[in-house]
Amino acid sequence: MELAQVRLLVTDFAACYRFYGEVLGLKPQSGAADGPYEKFSPAVGSAGIALQDRSMMAEVLDELGDTAEGHRSLVVLRVDGLDAYCQEITMRGATVLHGPAPMTDRMRVAHLKDPEGNLVELQEWLLLRG
């Protein structure tokens, strides 16, 4: 078994496309800025984040409403140089809600939300301190 992607069901596809592509700097697979689907990948690693128009999935699963309520996901991205990356994405339109701050003795984190309110955690892994 291999994890192919984490898929987020979104209602404002264009805003989320811009956030994951332009603000966070992930690479879109096909350039389908108008949707209804796009997969984004980081510069390294094989896992990705995909966006799918929520109404498209609602046609398949009747139980999905027009909007989600509450936090349903947490996208986690590992970055090197958390402080510099947070400065970069802030200049590109992100709002950092928390951090950068230590989470454990081996990790620093920052938290933000995408345009749909999905939580994004940025992690900087530190060497184990002895």
Side-chain angles (χ1 to χ4, degrees):
M1 183 182 306
E2 177 185 351
L3 175 64
Q5 63 189 231
V6 172
R7 189 176 307 172
L8 302 175
L9 302 177
V10 300
T11 53
D12 189 343
F13 191 92
C16 289
Y17 183 97
R18 182 188 168 285
F19 179 82
Y20 286 96
E22 296 175 22
V23 176
L24 294 186
L26 300 175
K27 182 182 177 191
Q29 187 174 47
S30 68
D34 294 327
Y37 172 86
E38 180 64 280
K39 181 180 177 186
F40 293 85
S41 301
V44 295
S46 61
I49 298 168
L51 303 177
Q52 183 171 355
D53 189 289
R54 187 175 188 82
S55 64
M56 181 183 182
M57 185 56 78
E59 291 175 13
V60 176
L61 296 174
D62 292 334
E63 65 190 58
L64 290 177
D66 291 335
T67 58
E69 295 181 23
H71 296 298
R72 305 241 175 163
S73 65
L74 173 64
V75 174
V76 179
L77 302 169
R78 185 177 66 84
V79 300
D80 294 323
L82 182 62
D83 296 290
Y85 185 72
C86 285
Q87 283 183 324
E88 268 182 53
I89 64 172
T90 299
M91 290 188 306
R92 295 194 302 245
T95 301
V96 177
L97 303 172
H98 167 259
M103 179 170 245
T104 68
D105 63 343
R106 298 185 317 188
M107 184 183 340
R108 295 177 68 238
V109 299
H111 293 95
L112 53 146
K113 291 182 184 178
D114 73 10
E116 295 277 323
N118 294 302
L119 293 171
V120 177
E121 178 177 281
L122 305 173
Q123 295 181 345
E124 177 182 30
W125 298 354
L126 307 172
L127 295 176
L128 183 59
R129 297 180 195 158

